[in-house]
Amino acid sequence: MKNNNSKLAFILVTALTSVATILFSFQKSENLKELSYIFFSYPSVPGHYVSKDSLELEKLLKNSERRITTSLRRLENLLPYGPYLIINTTQNKFVLRTRKGIIREGICSTGSYVLLDAGDGKQWMFKTPKGMFPILGKIVDPIWIKPDWAFVEESLPIPPRNHPDRLEYGTLGDYALTLGDGYLIHGTLYQRFLGLPVTHGCVRLGDEDLEMVFKNLNVGSRVYIF
Amino acid sequence: MKNFIIKLQNKINGAVTTKGVVLFITVQLAVLVGAFILFGIIPVSSEVSKITSEFGIERTGNQKLPPEKIVLLERVRDREHYESILKSALSLSKTDSISLLIDLNDSLAILSLKGVSLFQSKISEIEFNKGLKKLPVYLRDSLYSGPFPVKDELASIEKFPVVVKKAPKDTTEASANNAAPELPIQNDVFVLFALDNNLVIEINQEEQDLAGSKRAYREFNRNYSKFFREHNFAQLKDKSAPSYLYRLKIFIPREEARSIYRALPIKPYVLVRY
């Protein structure tokens, strides 16, 4: 009886250990697969190439080179002809450049990703849109027409549309470039926040950077935001 | 439970004989070998035969070739690969989405939009898993140059670092809010993109030290293990499921990895140049 019990215990322990080994091996499947690759290989040169003679290969090479040149030319033609602006919304940096090289680079401020909740289902998300945008307009001494959220943020009553309380002078700096849907590239009074994601979606630049961007970009120039 | 273990221990003590130990070790070894075959050899073998039959690889490729011909073949292969990359870049330039090109040749991760390179990050380290390392370059071309859409993704950071803010109740609270802007938390960056062609691309920060929350890092690691576990389980259940995942890991600076991940749309296109 005692012997039988011991056998049973032995079988139980062996079975449990085996299950644990299987589970552990399953967990380590990726390592086992890596190890298994020792036993497998592929030919280093494809068979259909091996059968070709040197002349045929030279011809293949020439044709390929020709197609590469065409593709490279087509890709180069995709680059803007004039200066363009690239904005990195994660690092809050900008690069003003042409095909040939960088004109100016520096820091900027972009959307804060704040979701302002005013209750009653009223919400605003302050993010800078990503993609390619042509400059739609250029403004000197821009006036900020304050949207509703600007009053909600300051806990002030929202005035009616076209009310003079909505107009604010000097906040946007000396210049603004319009990107559409109310988004602008403009200056700022809050120079200390440059380099940080603090805006309501617009792109803020320092005074000198803004002047340089304004002078180099024309209506139709491209702005790439990522 | 404690009593049960003690009883079991006593019973085992009675069974610990040389024969018992040998039998136990033999069984465990057999289980290990079985597990190695089931979880290692079979999936790899099925992947290798799938590729061999799919691409009609002729073994003649192994025959001895004159060195000039090998050089010529390498050049043809290199040019054809570059050609396919340029073709893919051109096709991606027609979309409105930002895409990622991982150029292993020049060790660069490049973001591009409409054919314009927006951002470049120098890759400090590249790791391939064995399967990808063993895959000859002519097969990598056909299988992995792309462009391929990302099917699944895991990341230790949010795509959109949204901060929810309640509107202030009065002007005092409003001016306090304006004085100090609320900035998003900057966690460490580890990203996994699973492409729909069995390729898994991992973009990791090169910095060893963790700068952000350990909780986010642990959460990512949990999801990372779960991803591979689920894949291995699916492969056991379904014979048609991919049996092997090719893995490419690149290391770039933390902030650059963050820029790349946040710039890419959901389910972006990725292109790899070998």
Side-chain angles (χ1 to χ4, degrees):
Chain A
M1 185 66 188
K2 194 187 168 191
N3 203 17
N4 274 348
N5 274 349
S6 294
K7 266 186 188 167
L8 210 64
F10 174 79
I11 291 167
L12 188 67
V13 167
T14 310
L16 283 174
T17 320
S18 302
V19 169
T21 309
I22 291 169
L23 287 176
F24 178 75
S25 306
F26 176 70
Q27 277 283 358
K28 298 283 169 195
S29 289
E30 289 301 304
N31 303 59
L32 294 180
K33 285 178 193 173
E34 291 301 279
L35 198 64
S36 303
Y37 248 105
I38 296 168
F39 306 111
F40 299 94
S41 71
Y42 301 96
S44 58
V45 179
H48 66 276
Y49 272 172
V50 174
S51 56
K52 293 193 192 312
D53 62 25
S54 296
L55 268 177
E56 278 178 293
L57 289 174
E58 288 283 3
K59 201 177 159 191
L60 275 178
L61 196 64
K62 221 169 151 186
N63 287 341
S64 189
E65 288 289 0
R66 210 186 52 238
R67 288 191 295 267
I68 286 172
T69 314
T70 315
S71 297
L72 282 172
R73 204 175 301 136
R74 283 176 65 195
L75 271 173
E76 209 186 305
N77 284 339
L78 292 171
L79 291 175
Y81 285 100
Y84 56 100
L85 185 67
I86 299 173
I87 290 159
N88 178 341
T89 61
T90 308
Q91 291 186 314
N92 287 285
K93 285 180 179 170
F94 77 91
V95 181
L96 176 67
R97 60 168 304 149
T98 60
R99 281 181 179 203
K100 285 181 184 157
I102 293 170
I103 301 173
R104 195 178 179 96
E105 56 187 334
I107 53 170
C108 60
S109 279
T110 60
S112 61
Y113 272 105
V114 162
L115 179 80
L116 181 66
D117 186 3
D120 301 333
K122 273 190 181 171
Q123 286 186 334
W124 292 272
M125 169 66 97
F126 301 138
K127 66 170 185 179
T128 304
K130 288 172 185 163
M132 188 195 80
F133 303 88
I135 301 279
L136 299 178
K138 292 172 78 175
I139 310 162
V140 179
D141 293 327
I143 301 160
W144 184 31
I145 303 162
K146 290 170 81 174
D148 290 357
W149 52 254
F151 296 94
V152 173
E153 242 187 355
E154 290 177 25
S155 200
L156 295 171
I158 301 170
R161 273 178 174 227
N162 303 323
H163 192 276
D165 278 0
R166 286 195 182 256
L167 304 180
E168 203 166 287
Y169 299 85
T171 318
L172 303 181
D174 296 334
Y175 310 99
L177 298 119
T178 55
L179 300 174
D181 288 334
Y183 293 102
L184 302 170
I185 298 171
H186 60 75
T188 178
L189 297 173
Y190 306 102
Q191 301 276 326
R192 66 183 190 282
F193 293 151
L194 284 170
L196 298 173
V198 293
T199 80
H200 299 93
C202 288
V203 178
R204 293 181 193 165
L205 291 173
D207 296 340
E208 285 172 19
D209 293 332
L210 180 65
E211 193 177 347
M212 189 64 115
V213 166
F214 188 83
K215 282 182 178 161
N216 276 282
L217 298 185
N218 297 314
V219 171
S221 294
R222 294 182 198 169
V223 178
Y224 297 89
I225 305 177
F226 71 94
Chain B
M1 187 67 186
K2 205 178 165 188
N3 283 343
F4 172 76
I5 292 168
I6 292 166
K7 267 186 195 171
L8 198 65
Q9 250 175 352
N10 290 336
K11 281 171 186 172
I12 291 165
N13 285 342
V16 177
T17 57
T18 317
K19 197 181 150 195
V21 170
V22 170
L23 192 64
F24 179 79
I25 291 173
T26 314
V27 170
Q28 291 312 308
L29 278 176
V31 169
L32 259 180
V33 171
F36 179 54
I37 292 170
L38 183 67
F39 303 132
I41 301 270
I42 291 175
V44 169
S45 153
S46 111
E47 176 65 16
V48 170
S49 43
K50 195 185 97 192
I51 287 184
T52 311
S53 64
E54 205 169 308
F55 289 90
I57 299 166
E58 299 156 43
R59 282 282 150 185
T60 45
N62 273 341
Q63 74 191 39
K64 276 229 164 190
L65 294 168
E68 322 83 68
K69 193 167 178 184
I70 291 179
V71 171
L72 194 58
L73 275 170
E74 279 302 307
R75 276 180 63 202
V76 171
R77 194 221 52 74
D78 176 69
R79 292 290 85 186
E80 284 188 344
H81 175 48
Y82 188 38
E83 194 189 322
S84 79
I85 286 290
L86 291 176
K87 224 161 122 185
S88 300
L90 275 169
S91 80
L92 281 178
S93 72
K94 289 177 188 136
T95 67
D96 287 325
S97 300
I98 298 171
S99 54
L100 174 66
L101 164 66
I102 297 175
D103 187 340
L104 302 176
N105 224 16
D106 295 333
S107 297
L108 288 172
I110 304 165
L111 284 177
S112 67
L113 173 63
K114 296 204 167 285
V116 177
S117 159
L118 305 179
F119 184 74
Q120 291 193 354
S121 177
K122 188 86 192 144
I123 301 170
S124 57
E125 203 184 327
I126 301 165
E127 281 177 17
F128 294 108
N129 68 348
K130 280 252 170 52
L132 198 55
K133 213 184 268 177
K134 280 218 166 179
L135 206 63
V137 188
Y138 65 90
L139 280 179
R140 288 186 201 166
D141 276 1
S142 336
L143 289 170
Y144 303 115
S145 304
F148 291 103
V150 168
K151 188 176 68 178
D152 254 322
E153 67 179 52
L154 295 178
S156 58
I157 56 168
E158 305 103 329
K159 191 84 164 167
F160 310 107
V162 178
V163 180
V164 181
K165 223 165 100 176
K166 289 265 174 222
K169 288 182 197 82
D170 49 46
T171 47
T172 323
E173 197 186 325
S175 47
N177 283 353
N178 287 341
E182 208 164 323
L183 299 174
I185 306 154
Q186 304 288 34
N187 280 327
D188 294 278
V189 189
F190 299 93
V191 177
L192 178 148
F193 286 142
L195 273 55
D196 70 355
N197 62 342
N198 282 7
L199 178 64
V200 171
I201 296 174
E202 293 174 44
I203 303 172
N204 290 354
Q205 65 179 41
E206 63 185 25
E207 290 86 351
Q208 297 285 318
D209 57 308
L210 294 182
S213 113
K214 287 203 170 57
R215 197 175 151 202
Y217 177 66
R218 276 198 299 267
E219 175 78 17
F220 173 78
N221 277 339
R222 254 198 306 276
N223 291 333
Y224 182 87
S225 307
K226 193 177 158 205
F227 171 82
F228 288 104
R229 208 170 39 240
E230 280 177 356
H231 168 263
N232 288 325
F233 194 62
Q235 165 237 312
L236 279 180
K237 276 199 309 187
D238 178 10
K239 285 275 166 258
S240 63
S243 51
Y244 185 81
L245 290 176
Y246 295 94
R247 287 160 77 174
L248 164 66
K249 204 184 269 190
I250 59 167
F251 294 84
I252 55 178
R254 184 188 291 131
E255 290 316 311
E256 296 182 6
R258 193 187 313 281
S259 288
I260 287 178
Y261 178 65
R262 294 227 165 115
L264 290 169
I266 293 162
K267 311 227 171 201
Y269 274 89
V270 183
L271 198 59
V272 184
R273 184 184 178 192
Y274 293 97

